[in-house]
Amino acid sequence: MSRTRLTRRTLLGSTLALAVPLPTGASRGQVPSLWREFTRTPFTHPQIPYVGKAGARRHPRPSRVLDVRAYGAVADGTTDSAPAINRAIAAAGGAGGGTVLIPPGTFRIDDVIRVGHSNVVVRGAGSDRTKLYATKSLTELIGVYGSRYGGDKSSWSWAGGLIWLAPSARLDSLVAAIRAKAWPFEGWTGNRRDDWRQLTTVEPARQGSWTVTVADASHLRPGTLVLLRLADDPGHTLLQHMAGGGPGPESYYWDDKTKLLSYVPYEWPVRIARVHGREVTLERPLPLDIRPEWNPQLTTYVEELTGSGVEGLTLEAVETPQQPHLLDKGYNGVVLQCAYDCWLDDVTVRHVDNGFGLVAASACTLRGTTVAGRGSHHPYFCREGSHDNLVEDFTIEERTAPAPANTQLHGINVEGLSSYNVWSRGDMRMGTFDSHRGLPFANVRTDITVNNNGRHGGDASAGPLFGARFTHWNVRVTNGRAGLMKIDQLAPYSATVGLNTVTEFDQTDVPDFTGDLHARLELYGTTDVVRPRNLYEAQREL
């Protein structure tokens, strides 16, 4: 006899009760030894990362309210309302913050919607009531965007959104570089990665520590954001450390992985919680060891976007056929870039090339998001050093049109040294867990149902599929395909816990590292019996 568990999700102030069937006997569940181990050493466990601080903090809603209709927006589906919406957003930003209301109806937009100031919230009446109808691609609006790594690829295949949350100066510099065909780096230190200065050096510390000792704390203040910057050494010991260390990573050939090497120095944004003498307490524990050979520094960065969000709307692109792989025109959804502590809530994108993007974004939350329509290349992408983000209550719907020839479907993507990100409570009716090379590490996928029919990608020059401390916890694969679900034979120092039986299919991977991977596998061949059933939520409660 089956039972029903009531789960609750809050979106835009409304509480929804969802009936989820539980298997017989699941009320008792089974607690794996890995969880008991983790609770004893939560910040330094060798296989499971601590992600209990992932996502944005709760923010008070701005008291200033601006209605886009007062700036000329018309919900008739034919008038271009992008200029009016952008004027309202700019007015809120110029006033120090505010809520920009988009009422029910369909608003046509013929341009990018730009959220470039902190503490600005764009709020629709709900994803089922407010629609932005986008008629043009990023190629039409900004121009052709080539790859900084060469070839004929379109960078709109993994960058940019028709709703783009990024600091105004940063976005302006990106657009100028694209139009000048000077293909930029996209992260926290500018188009050439040279827009920073040192604040202080940092003394050695261990991964998981919350406090570091600096040489000079005179430029550090509680509440400010800094970058922890770690450079690799000629022996690539930083990359080895990200992969768990030991004989396998030591024997791996790193020198020809040119795309991977372009991602270092590793840049981790973090807010300072406390300064006491030369002791600095951070709001999150250290993601890696700090060693002298990596020239550890706290530095400045380009200005961040913080405290901003988009809520309660659908972005629907004009329906066009999906383009061949890596030639996307840029009918893209919503992207957060150089954003810290920002969010999306109850947002749907439809008929997009790429759905929701985190590009050099950290400590952000995507909640209640959905990718729908004719099918996407990357429904979700997380890249260019994005850290500590939370994607929860997410859905990838089945495509409404057959996939054209030579197109590609990934799923929930992570790459480019991105770390400590969480995908939680997901309903993936298509796609896969796309570890896309570039040595992502310490990421968690938990409490997800997936029809595993996508394929992962990644250029060989980007190096390994996995770094250390990847965890797949309570994953239900409806079609029994193994690819990137059961990772104990692929990912070093990883954990696969509570996965139903899966078998290999046409994309069969081999591990990047030789020897013992020190990976753990528990409760394999079970369905939804592992307790706690959601690793992220359990860590939050510790």
Side-chain angles (χ1 to χ4, degrees), residues 352-503:
V352 294
D353 293 337
N354 301 282
F356 295 94
L358 295 159
V359 181
S362 293
C364 295
T365 294
L366 280 62
R367 179 178 294 113
T369 54
T370 299
V371 180
R374 48 85 157 158
S376 300
H377 178 196
H378 295 96
Y380 290 83
F381 55 99
C382 178
R383 51 178 295 271
E384 204 76 13
S386 290
H387 315 293
D388 304 302
N389 298 293
L390 171 64
V391 182
E392 66 179 355
D393 297 314
F394 67 95
T395 301
I396 302 174
E397 294 187 355
E398 293 181 26
R399 64 189 315 139
T400 57
N406 302 316
T407 59
Q408 188 65 273
L409 165 66
H410 295 311
I412 51 175
N413 156 283
V414 62
E415 59 181 286
L417 301 186
S418 296
S419 62
Y420 293 86
N421 300 289
V422 179
W423 292 263
S424 169
R425 293 200 305 265
D427 179 9
M428 296 176 59
R429 301 169 199 172
M430 64 177 190
T432 194
F433 290 177
D434 176 34
S435 292
H436 208 89
R437 300 198 177 273
L439 198 66
F441 65 94
N443 296 285
V444 169
R445 292 129 169 179
T446 183
D447 196 7
I448 297 172
T449 300
V450 52
N451 177 30
N452 186 25
N453 63 357
R455 297 172 67 88
H456 72 79
D459 194 290
S461 68
L465 280 169
F466 295 97
R469 297 190 307 284
F470 256 81
T471 300
H472 290 177
W473 186 285
N474 192 14
V475 176
R476 304 168 291 274
V477 184
T478 59
N479 61 347
R481 286 186 165 187
L484 296 194
M485 302 290 133
K486 182 176 180 288
I487 57 175
D488 59 299
Q489 300 299 314
L490 289 174
Y493 287 93
S494 64
T496 305
V497 183
L499 172 71
N500 59 285
T501 302
V502 292
T503 55

Side-chain angles (χ1 to χ4, degrees), residues 176-198:
I178 293 166
R179 289 176 171 162
K181 301 189 184 305
W183 314 131
F185 285 91
E186 302 158 88
W188 287 100
T189 48
N191 293 345
R192 295 184 298 275
R193 298 199 75 181
D194 59 358
D195 192 2
W196 61 277
R197 61 180 176 83
Q198 179 181 286

Side-chain angles (χ1 to χ4, degrees), residues 48-112:
I48 299 177
Y50 175 73
V51 292
K53 296 286 284 185
R57 300 178 297 177
R58 293 188 178 274
H59 286 265
R61 294 296 189 250
S63 58
R64 184 179 293 103
V65 177
L66 301 87
D67 191 316
V68 296
R69 292 172 295 188
Y71 292 82
V74 182
D76 59 4
T78 58
T79 302
D80 177 16
S81 292
I85 295 171
N86 281 326
R87 282 195 296 269
I89 292 171
T99 298
V100 176
L101 291 181
I102 307 180
T106 297
F107 295 82
R108 173 173 167 164
I109 56 171
D110 296 345
D111 199 358
V112 176

Side-chain angles (χ1 to χ4, degrees), residues 171-231:
L171 183 52
D172 289 346
S173 73
L174 288 166
V175 169
I178 293 166
R179 289 176 171 162
K181 301 189 184 305
W183 314 131
F185 285 91
E186 302 158 88
W188 287 100
T189 48
N191 293 345
R192 295 184 298 275
R193 298 199 75 181
D194 59 358
D195 192 2
W196 61 277
R197 61 180 176 83
Q198 179 181 286
L199 295 170
T200 183
T201 57
V202 187
E203 294 185 5
R206 295 299 301 272
Q207 178 260 324
S209 300
W210 293 71
T211 299
V212 297
T213 302
V214 301
D216 178 9
S218 61
H219 298 292
L220 307 179
R221 299 288 183 272
T224 59
L225 193 69
V226 295
L227 279 190
L228 172 65
R229 183 178 170 92
L230 301 177

Side-chain angles (χ1 to χ4, degrees), residues 75-353:
D76 59 4
T78 58
T79 302
D80 177 16
S81 292
I85 295 171
N86 281 326
R87 282 195 296 269
I89 292 171
T99 298
V100 176
L101 291 181
I102 307 180
T106 297
F107 295 82
R108 173 173 167 164
I109 56 171
D110 296 345
D111 199 358
V112 176
I113 301 303
R114 299 170 173 84
V115 181
H117 292 86
S118 294
N119 303 311
V120 173
V121 179
V122 177
R123 181 183 297 167
S127 60
D128 58 344
R129 301 183 67 201
T130 296
K131 179 193 293 186
L132 303 184
Y133 179 63
T135 63
K136 296 182 179 181
S137 69
L138 293 167
T139 298
E140 295 171 276
L141 296 171
I142 295 175
V144 172
Y145 189 3
S147 170
R148 67 177 184 252
Y149 302 106
D152 60 355
K153 301 172 184 176
S154 167
S155 285
W156 297 129
S157 300
W158 56 76
L162 291 169
I163 300 178
W164 204 329
L165 291 85
S168 290
R170 187 73 185 99
L171 183 52
D172 289 346
S173 73
L174 288 166
V175 169
I178 293 166
R179 289 176 171 162
K181 301 189 184 305
W183 314 131
F185 285 91
E186 302 158 88
W188 287 100
T189 48
N191 293 345
R192 295 184 298 275
R193 298 199 75 181
D194 59 358
D195 192 2
W196 61 277
R197 61 180 176 83
Q198 179 181 286
L199 295 170
T200 183
T201 57
V202 187
E203 294 185 5
R206 295 299 301 272
Q207 178 260 324
S209 300
W210 293 71
T211 299
V212 297
T213 302
V214 301
D216 178 9
S218 61
H219 298 292
L220 307 179
R221 299 288 183 272
T224 59
L225 193 69
V226 295
L227 279 190
L228 172 65
R229 183 178 170 92
L230 301 177
D232 204 8
D233 61 7
H236 301 301
T237 59
L238 176 61
L239 296 177
Q240 293 174 30
H241 177 52
M242 292 173 176
E250 287 173 6
S251 63
Y252 184 82
Y253 191 70
W254 301 94
D255 284 334
D256 64 347
K257 308 304 186 293
T258 53
K259 188 171 184 179
L260 172 63
L261 296 179
S262 76
Y263 296 143
V264 287
Y266 174 80
E267 295 171 340
W268 181 62
V270 64
R271 205 175 297 281
I272 294 173
R274 183 172 180 265
V275 179
H276 181 70
R278 294 194 300 121
E279 302 295 315
V280 178
T281 302
L282 309 173
E283 71 170 351
R284 303 170 192 277
L286 285 177
L288 294 164
D289 287 354
I290 294 178
R291 302 179 188 174
E293 55 265 36
W294 301 333
N295 190 23
Q297 308 170 63
L298 298 182
T299 76
T300 62
Y301 53 92
V302 298
E303 182 183 4
E304 81 275 15
L305 185 76
T306 190
S308 294
V310 176
E311 304 174 341
L313 58 81
T314 288
L315 171 66
E316 180 176 316
V318 59
E319 187 170 0
T320 60
Q322 187 177 348
Q323 295 298 297
H325 190 219
L326 300 177
L327 297 177
D328 296 346
K329 294 183 180 298
Y331 290 102
N332 293 348
V334 188
V335 164
L336 295 94
Q337 185 162 3
C338 296
Y340 191 94
D341 210 6
C342 294
W343 70 92
L344 308 177
D345 200 341
D346 183 29
V347 177
T348 294
V349 296
R350 184 173 288 114
H351 303 321
V352 294
D353 293 337

